[in-house]
Amino acid sequence: SWTMPFTPPSNDDCDDAISLTVNTDQSCSNVTSGTISGATASSQEDDVTGTPNNDVWFSFTATGTDHRVSLSGIVNQGGGTSTSTDMGMGVYDATGGCDGLVLVGDSDPEELSLSNLTPSKTYLI
């Protein structure tokens, strides 16, 4: 038998990052859903912890110098005996585009507090 492979999510590649809505306060009322189901490794250099074999991309424009990025509601889709919901993330200055990313911060566990950001600048997660 043959199984059809998963279709990668639309934000599987850096150039197709999904734009996030930045919250105006720490309430985190604006949430964007995502999945890594079917995601593949990106060509960008890996500057973060873990194995980036199933990464996806998001972008945001800084509205201030400090922001917090949180991953929540993580569901294991690995199948088999895996029960892990551990995720890591990296945040990059996107000034140089996807071929010139500069790591701003990374985190494993699923929350990252960023400081010294430049308002109106675009960052990639």
Side-chain angles (χ1 to χ4, degrees):
S1 70
W2 181 78
T3 303
M4 182 71 158
F6 288 106
T7 301
S10 63
N11 60 333
D12 191 40
D13 293 316
C14 178
D15 289 325
D16 298 317
I18 292 174
S19 180
L20 300 174
T21 301
V22 176
N23 288 284
T24 58
D25 57 28
Q26 296 294 316
S27 70
C28 295
S29 57
N30 294 312
V31 176
T32 301
S33 296
T35 183
I36 60 167
S37 181
T40 60
S42 294
S43 62
Q44 286 72 24
E45 184 175 330
D46 172 32
D47 292 327
V48 299
T49 61
T51 305
N53 58 346
N54 55 359
D55 56 9
V56 291
W57 293 87
F58 295 90
S59 68
F60 72 95
T61 301
T63 58
T65 57
D66 300 322
H67 283 281
R68 185 179 72 204
V69 180
S70 298
L71 306 177
S72 62
I74 300 169
V75 176
N76 178 300
Q77 297 180 356
T81 59
S82 173
T83 58
S84 177
T85 56
D86 185 36
M87 302 281 287
M89 71 178 108
V91 175
Y92 299 87
D93 179 332
T95 302
C98 290
D99 293 329
L101 297 175
V102 176
L103 183 66
V104 173
D106 67 329
S107 180
D108 181 11
E110 294 78 30
E111 187 164 299
L112 177 59
S113 292
L114 299 164
S115 59
N116 299 317
L117 299 178
T118 303
S120 300
K121 185 179 273 192
T122 300
Y123 295 88
L124 289 167
I125 304 169

